[in-house]
Amino acid sequence: MNGNKTNIIRRLTLSMCTAAFAWLLYSCANMASPNGGPYDELPPKVVRSTPVNGETNVKSRKLEIVFDELIQVEKPSENVIITPPQLQLPDIQSLGKKIKIELKDTLIPDVTYTIDFTNSVADNNEKNVFENFSFAFSTGDVVDSLEVSGIVLDASNLEPMPNIMVGLHRDTADTAFTKTPFTRTSKTNDRGRFTIRNIATGSYRLFALKDANNDYMFDQPGEDIAFHDSIIVPTFDFRTRQDTIWKDTITIDTIKTVDYTHFLPDDIVLRLFKEDFGRQYMLRPERTDRHFFTLKFNIPADTLPSPQVLDNPPDGEWYLAQRENEGSIRYWITDSLVYNRDTLHLEVSYMKTDSMNTLQPQTDTVHIALRRQPQTRQRRSRRNEPEPIDFLTMQISASGQIDVFDTLSVTFPEPVVTLDSSVFVLEHKKDTVWTVTDFQLQQDSVNLLKYYLLRRFTYEEEYRLSIDSAAVFSIYGKWNNTLTNSFKIKAKDSYGDLYINIEGVDVPSFVELLNQNDATVRKAKVREGWAVFNDLKPDKYYARLIEDENDNGIWDTGNYAEKRQPEQVWYAPRLFEVPANFEIEEVWSPRSTPVERQKPLEITKNKPKDVTKKKRDYRQEGRQQSGSSSNPFGGIGF
């Protein structure tokens, strides 16, 4: 018995030792999963080139740059900028560790050439970017070395503008921008910033251009442009900076004072705009309903076209014109002899842009056929059952609870016969009694189907709008059904008030409150230094100020021929939070923050991209891999 017990203990001990030894071997073999060594986090380096960077008296149009690892060039035709501008597209190829460039234009004598790769060069595996890499050589005895830099912003909303051509003209005449290519160029990065390198001493004009036809000049009226008001004179000074050398991630080794050359100007702000111009022409007209047809234009027409019926023209006026969105004009046909025709043969007179980009009278003949709508199958009516009445519908803007600043309106689906206020009954509830109250009826100045019932509302009032049956008739004989609509004005404590004291602005201006999408929700004119917003819905708002120089209540673009810059726009660099039932008073100095740092990142659409990758903690990765190793023996413990 004792012998059997001893044998069992021996076998169990041997089994446990074997398992322990196996676990020890497994653990040693899996302390950390092999990761192939440290990752490459360094950008490629140039090891040699032909010609050498900065070489003078270069005669060859072929260049070769060799790096220390395999590289690639992203979209070279878009991202590689060559100065002076090349009229013929150069041949740029990345082959293994090399970049080969062949210029097609004849080299200009005694000129510095710059090949600005921006951020297009990266290694082939880890995609580490060689940031702001540029290469220069000269066909003369000197490599010019001056620089100017700055930022390009959208003039209307301060968005940083990427991939915009920025150029210098040695010829300071106004016509140089429209007649000859730039002397030197660069392009903005994703942050809208630019640097023009290797500039010779002298005086220059500076421009930005969204070059539609790649000819390096402003010769297309639809191109976005910016121009600097002053002559640019590149210069430099000598400065020092503190460079820190680290022993490791937390210990400083040495702080060195380094001399460097600082190029000026380096703070140029160009506001990009498009002139108030568009080539105007007529698109294909259409007729989806017997009672109207639509003339469409690529941009809103300044004057309404005048259509005339060619065959059997009616006597007198035969249509009502109504502007719609995006350049469309709807013509309601008032003469039954015209709208009962399946095809209209019309002569249309309008203004069209000619080849010289000027508006000229144009007359076209158009034939507009009625486009039949597909018929929907309906259940057959019972014998002698009357057809349902096709009432004239109405859309009332007020229902339930409305804001105190809302305007009561009524919109019809088609033009109505002369309308006056007597067809509407507006009642105001006092205590429990409904009392008829007054208002003013006004037709919309653009939409002839919309009418306003104008009355100043007060908090917590209750109203009821009533219309009797057959009180309103359309020009096509439809009449309305009885309608009653009740609504109530919200209470004062549903809103907040915001008072913004504007400092340092002495021209006519207005402030727009913006939502999270950079869209305008309210607008107020600056009066005696204050922008006042009463009865705001509780929310967080951004703000934009427009210097309205002509005091017309809208932002106006610029014009190069008139040397007129677009109206100045400023953003408050912070939020304005308005709680319910509170009065908030704020102070804002639009010029106190540099314009390129004003627009909050939360509402900036062209957000900067991260070019440099975050450093990886390999030891932590190894610990995580080690810690994730599981026990192959499940519940066995030692």
Side-chain angles (χ1 to χ4, degrees), residues 356-372:
M356 301 300 293
N357 294 322
T358 58
L359 284 174
Q360 298 291 343
Q362 172 80 12
T363 300
D364 289 340
T365 300
V366 297
H367 306 282
I368 312 175
L370 177 62
R371 193 172 70 195
R372 302 283 183 181

Side-chain angles (χ1 to χ4, degrees), residues 98-109:
K98 298 178 182 180
I99 297 177
K100 290 188 174 184
I101 302 171
E102 182 178 357
L103 304 180
K104 302 297 184 180
D105 289 3
T106 302
L107 293 180
I108 304 172

Side-chain angles (χ1 to χ4, degrees), residues 307-363:
Q308 299 295 330
V309 178
L310 290 177
D311 48 346
N312 298 320
D315 295 329
E317 294 294 332
W318 57 276
Y319 65 80
L320 296 172
Q322 175 195 347
R323 289 186 183 272
E324 296 183 312
N325 295 328
E326 303 299 329
S328 294
I329 304 169
R330 177 173 292 188
Y331 291 83
W332 295 93
I333 307 172
T334 58
D335 191 317
S336 61
L337 295 178
V338 178
Y339 67 64
N340 281 325
R341 302 178 189 179
D342 287 343
T343 300
L344 300 178
H345 305 282
L346 305 176
E347 183 181 82
V348 180
S349 299
Y350 63 99
M351 301 298 291
K352 181 180 180 181
T353 306
D354 63 12
S355 58
M356 301 300 293
N357 294 322
T358 58
L359 284 174
Q360 298 291 343
Q362 172 80 12
T363 300

Side-chain angles (χ1 to χ4, degrees), residues 419-446:
L419 191 66
D420 60 57
S421 60
S422 63
V423 303
F424 301 102
V425 178
L426 183 63
E427 297 173 283
H428 176 212
K429 189 175 184 181
K430 296 182 179 179
D431 297 327
T432 58
V433 179
W434 290 99
T435 304
V436 175
T437 189
D438 61 335
F439 62 91
Q440 288 185 326
L441 184 68
Q442 179 178 306
Q443 188 176 21
D444 188 278
S445 59
V446 176

Side-chain angles (χ1 to χ4, degrees), residues 129-253:
V129 174
F130 192 168
E131 294 186 45
N132 302 316
F133 172 48
S134 67
F135 186 91
F137 65 89
S138 175
T139 57
D141 297 331
V142 177
V143 173
D144 300 316
S145 59
L146 294 175
E147 299 179 2
V148 297
S149 57
I151 191 169
V152 178
L153 303 174
D154 186 312
S156 65
N157 57 20
L158 300 192
E159 283 285 319
M161 298 302 295
N163 299 316
I164 299 297
M165 185 73 66
V166 183
L168 289 171
H169 265 297
R170 192 67 179 263
D171 183 352
T172 58
D174 293 339
T175 55
F177 186 32
T178 61
K179 300 295 185 183
T180 58
F182 291 128
T183 304
R184 301 203 68 78
T185 62
S186 183
K187 231 177 189 181
T188 58
N189 63 14
D190 63 292
R191 293 170 173 83
R193 298 196 171 274
F194 68 89
T195 298
I196 304 178
R197 298 179 172 87
N198 303 111
I199 306 170
T201 56
S203 300
Y204 297 87
R205 288 280 189 185
L206 179 65
F207 304 91
L209 173 66
K210 191 172 184 179
D211 197 3
N213 55 357
N214 296 317
D215 64 354
Y216 305 98
M217 67 182 79
F218 176 43
D219 58 352
Q220 298 287 329
E223 292 176 326
D224 295 354
I225 62 168
F227 61 94
H228 198 270
D229 288 319
S230 305
I231 296 291
I232 299 294
V233 180
T235 184
F236 66 93
D237 58 24
F238 296 109
R239 300 186 184 184
T240 60
R241 65 170 179 260
Q242 304 297 317
D243 279 3
T244 303
I245 300 175
W246 297 83
K247 287 183 178 180
D248 51 41
T249 57
I250 60 174
T251 308
I252 296 176
D253 183 3

